[in-house]
C-alpha cells in the first residue's frame, strides 16, 4: 500500500474502516474511484454527505427518514388501528417489500439482550406503551426476529401491554427459528404476517 501516493493511501484507509471491508477490497475500491468519471465520484461523495445531513429518525415510528415523518407515516391510506413492532428500520423495509401489511410501524431500535446490557430502557418500549395508551391502535403485531432475544422481546412487550385494551399478535408461521427478518424471502414474510396469532 505504501507504494501508492498519499492521496490514494488516504482513500484506501477510509474505505478499510467500513464494516466488512478488508485492505484488499479497500484498495480495489480506491482504484475504482480513481478510474471512474469525475461525475460518479462526486455523486458518491455527495450521497454520503446527504445521508449525514438529511437522514434522521422519523418522529412517529423511529424508522429512517429525510423529514419529520417518513413515507409510511405520511401515508393517510394506511390503517391506523394496526401497529407492527420491529427491531430495526431494515425489518420494516422487508415487511413493506412483502406487501403483507397496511398499518403503521414502531421501530424498537434493537431487542432485549441482557448479555449485552440491553434492557427495556435501551430500546423504545415505553414509547410504544405510550403510543398504545393513546388509544387508536387496536392490534399490535410483534414482528421481532425469531432469535432467542427476539422471542423474549416479544414476550416482554406482550406482558407489558397486557393491561391495555389492545390485541397483541405475533408473526410466527414460516419464519425460521433464529431467523433475521431481513434475510427472509418476501412470500414467507407475507404468509407469516397473514397467519399471525394472538398472544
Ligand atoms: Zn415513520
Amino acid at each position: 500500500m505504501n507504494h501508492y501516493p498519499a492521496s490514494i493511501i488516504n482513500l484506501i484507509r477510509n474505505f478499510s474502516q467500513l464494516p466488512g471491508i478488508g485492505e484488499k477490497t479497500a484498495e480495489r475500491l480506491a482504484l475504482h474511484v480513481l478510474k471512474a468519471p469525475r461525475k460518479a465520484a462526486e455523486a458518491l461523495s455527495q450521497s454520503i454527505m446527504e445521508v449525514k445531513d438529511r437522514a434522521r429518525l422519523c418522529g412517529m415510528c423511529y424508522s429512517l427518514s429525510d423529514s419529520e415523518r417518513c413515507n409510511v407515516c405520511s401515508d393517510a391510506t394506511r390503517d391506523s388501528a394496526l401497529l407492527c413492532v420491529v427491531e430495526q428500520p431494515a425489518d420494516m423495509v422487508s415487511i413493506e417489500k412483502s406487501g403483507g401489511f397496511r398499518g403503521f410501524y414502531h421501530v424498537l431500535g434493537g431487542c432485549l439482550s441482557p448479555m449485552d446490557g440491553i434492557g427495556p430502557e435501551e430500546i423504545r418500549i415505553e414509547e410504544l406503551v405510550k403510543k398504545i395508551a393513546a388509544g387508536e391502535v387496536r392490534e399490535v403485531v410483534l414482528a421481532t426476529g425469531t432469535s432467542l432475544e427476539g422471542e423474549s422481546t416479544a414476550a416482554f412487550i406482550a406482558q407489558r401491554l397486557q393491561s391495555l385494551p389492545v390485541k397483541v399478535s405475533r408473526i410466527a408461521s414460516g419464519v425460521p427459528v433464529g431467523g433475521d427478518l431481513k434475510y427472509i424471502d418476501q412470500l414467507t414474510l407475507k404468509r407469516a404476517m397473514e397467519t399471525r396469532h394472538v398472544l
Side-chain angles (χ1 to χ4, degrees):
M1 189 170 97
N2 286 329
H3 301 294
Y4 289 116
S7 62
I8 296 178
I9 292 175
N10 190 29
L11 186 57
I12 294 174
R13 283 217 179 102
N14 278 307
F15 275 132
S16 65
Q17 282 175 15
L18 298 174
I21 306 285
E23 207 176 287
K24 275 244 149 32
T25 308
E27 183 180 348
R28 215 164 53 232
L29 291 172
L31 294 177
H32 173 81
V33 168
L34 179 70
K35 273 192 278 173
R38 187 176 178 86
K39 267 207 154 111
E42 274 171 3
L44 175 67
S45 68
Q46 258 171 31
S47 59
I48 290 172
M49 288 324 293
E50 204 173 281
V51 161
K52 295 310 290 175
D53 291 340
R54 294 184 60 194
R56 53 177 148 155
L57 295 185
C58 167
M60 268 183 86
C61 70
Y62 305 100
S63 186
L64 296 170
S65 176
D66 279 343
S67 51
E68 172 59 23
R69 295 245 164 121
C70 72
N71 292 342
V72 171
C73 291
S74 321
D75 183 353
T77 66
R78 285 180 173 261
D79 185 355
S80 58
L82 274 175
L83 187 73
C84 180
V85 177
V86 292
E87 292 175 22
Q88 299 293 352
D91 301 326
M92 169 175 161
V93 171
S94 297
I95 294 174
E96 278 301 291
K97 278 192 200 156
S98 80
F101 186 72
R102 288 297 300 162
F104 290 94
Y105 292 87
H106 180 88
V107 180
L108 293 169
C111 58
L112 297 176
S113 179
M115 297 280 278
D116 304 312
I118 303 174
E121 319 272 273
E122 275 70 46
I123 57 176
R124 297 181 199 98
I125 291 182
E126 282 319 301
E127 287 87 340
L128 172 69
V129 173
K130 261 186 218 152
K131 218 180 267 182
I132 307 302
E136 208 178 335
V137 178
R138 295 278 162 267
E139 181 181 353
V140 175
V141 184
L142 299 173
T144 51
T146 52
S147 62
L148 191 61
E149 289 85 3
E151 289 294 354
S152 58
T153 304
F156 183 89
I157 294 174
Q159 200 180 23
R160 188 72 186 72
L161 298 178
Q162 221 169 26
S163 58
L164 294 166
V166 69
K167 185 169 129 186
V168 180
S169 55
R170 172 88 173 113
I171 53 159
S173 172
V175 178
V177 171
D180 196 327
L181 287 192
K182 62 180 174 291
Y183 300 124
I184 295 168
D185 73 274
Q186 289 160 22
L187 185 64
T188 304
L189 200 52
K190 188 167 189 233
R191 281 204 191 125
M193 181 60 78
E194 283 162 2
T195 58
R196 63 184 180 262
H197 59 267
V198 177
L199 291 180

